[in-house]
Amino acid sequence: MWLSAGQQVNAEQFEAFVVIPVDTRSVAEGIPTAELFLLAFLDPRSVPEGDRLLRVRVEPGGAIPMEVLQARLPARLQHLRGLREAYLLPAARLDRARAVDTFDMDRAGQLTPAGEGPEASLRIRCASPARSIAGLPNDVRRWPTLSTRRAYALLPANRARLPRHWLRLHRSLPPVRPGRLLLELRVPRNRAIDVTSTADLLTPLTRVRSRAHALRAAEVELILSSRSYRRVRVHRAYRAEAGTWQRVPKLEKGPLSTVVPHLSR
C-alpha cells in the first residue's frame, strides 16, 4: 500500500460527495472501482464528471485531506495531489463512513434527489472493467520481484489463442494434460500478478470485495494481464503426446502475442 503511516486525517465529522456509476446495484454490495479508496468532495460542483453523487457522512479519522497527503502517489493519481475540497477515504477506514443519500447533478450544478433509504456502510467492489484484472484492484502484489523468471501457461492445442483479458500462469511445470499446449515463458520483473500475496494483502481490508480469495481457492497462483502479452517471451513450447510433454520443434522464440498465433495445428 502506498499510503504513509501517521498520515493526517480528519478530526471532526463531515459530509461530502462521492461519484458512483448510475448502475451501481447497491451501496451495501460495494461501489465499483479499481482503487482501494474512494474520492470525496465537499462541494458537489468540484466532482469530476460522473454518473451519480452519493452523499456520505465521515466520522473522525475516516478520511485524508488531499491537500496534506504525504504519500508518494502512483503516476495514475498524480493529478489528485493538493486538490482542495477533496478527501481520500481509504478502504481500511471505510468503517468510519456511511452513505446518506444519492443525487443526480445537471450541468448547472443543481442536485436532484435520486433515491433515499436507510444509511448504509460503505464498501468497495473491485469491478471496474477498464482497469481491474480478474476482479482485482489496481494495487496488487507483482511477480517476479527481482528479475526475469520462468513460468508456464496452458492453452488448447488445436486452437491456440490467448485469452482476451488475462492468462493464468504456473510457477512450476504442470502435469501432462492431453489436448493442451504448454508454453515455457520468460516473465520480466513485475509483469505478472501474484494472486496468493494479493489475497493476503486484501484480507485485512474487510470492506473490499474482490476475486482474490476465490482465485486462490481455485489454486490460481499467477495471472498475466493482456497488456503484458507482448512483453513476455515464449522460450519453449510442448504438446502432450504419449503421456509426456513433447517439445515443439523449430519454434521461433519471441513475444507471447507473436508466437501463439503460429502454434495452432
Side-chain angles (χ1 to χ4, degrees):
M1 296 295 292
W2 46 266
L3 286 174
S4 304
Q7 173 66 59
Q8 181 178 336
V9 295
N10 64 303
E12 298 180 355
Q13 176 181 290
F14 71 98
E15 291 188 351
F17 295 89
V18 173
V19 176
I20 62 172
V22 71
D23 59 350
T24 300
R25 287 175 285 192
S26 75
V27 172
E29 183 178 343
I31 297 173
T33 178
E35 305 293 353
L36 292 177
F37 63 85
L38 299 174
L39 187 62
F41 296 83
L42 297 180
D43 187 345
R45 293 170 297 182
S46 300
V47 176
E49 184 178 351
D51 295 319
R52 180 160 289 176
L53 299 182
L54 177 70
R55 187 170 64 172
V56 300
R57 181 174 297 121
V58 185
E59 300 298 329
I64 299 173
M66 286 302 304
E67 59 183 344
V68 299
L69 186 66
Q70 300 173 357
R72 183 177 180 180
L73 290 174
R76 68 181 185 277
L77 304 176
Q78 285 294 334
H79 67 286
L80 301 176
R81 181 173 293 281
L83 197 60
R84 294 185 178 182
E85 303 289 313
Y87 290 78
L88 280 184
L89 309 182
R93 294 174 176 265
L94 287 183
D95 60 331
R96 308 183 191 200
R98 298 185 67 81
V100 179
D101 44 23
T102 57
F103 299 89
D104 290 324
M105 183 172 66
D106 60 24
R107 294 184 178 180
Q110 297 298 315
L111 299 181
T112 302
E116 298 181 0
E119 295 186 11
S121 299
L122 291 186
R123 296 181 183 276
I124 285 175
R125 177 166 54 88
C126 299
S128 174
R131 295 183 180 180
S132 64
I133 303 170
L136 300 178
N138 284 332
D139 291 305
V140 293
R141 296 300 191 200
R142 294 285 175 175
W143 183 94
T145 57
L146 298 177
S147 60
T148 298
R149 294 281 301 275
R150 176 173 56 188
Y152 300 91
L154 292 170
L155 298 174
N158 60 350
R159 194 180 181 186
R161 178 181 297 178
L162 291 170
R164 183 178 178 182
H165 299 295
W166 58 275
L167 174 67
R168 176 180 181 177
L169 301 183
H170 302 263
R171 296 178 190 267
S172 56
L173 184 69
V176 178
R177 298 269 303 275
R180 305 291 280 181
L181 179 71
L182 174 68
L183 303 180
E184 182 181 323
L185 308 174
R186 295 295 184 265
V187 184
R189 179 176 178 267
N190 289 338
R191 279 292 160 184
I193 293 174
D194 187 327
V195 173
T196 302
S197 294
T198 297
D200 291 339
L201 169 71
L202 296 176
T203 294
L205 302 179
T206 58
R207 300 278 171 163
V208 175
R209 294 179 175 175
S210 77
R211 291 188 59 198
H213 294 91
L215 288 169
R216 182 170 63 179
E219 299 183 348
V220 176
E221 302 172 289
L222 305 167
I223 59 177
L224 180 71
S225 165
S226 58
R227 296 179 181 179
S228 294
Y229 286 171
R230 63 185 180 87
R231 301 294 297 272
V232 172
R233 297 183 65 82
V234 177
H235 186 65
R236 294 188 180 93
Y238 303 84
R239 297 187 188 278
E241 296 179 4
T244 62
W245 289 118
Q246 298 292 326
R247 189 170 174 178
V248 175
K250 299 180 180 180
L251 174 73
E252 293 188 10
K253 302 177 182 179
L256 182 62
S257 55
T258 301
V259 173
V260 168
H262 299 286
L263 289 173
S264 296
R265 289 178 176 174

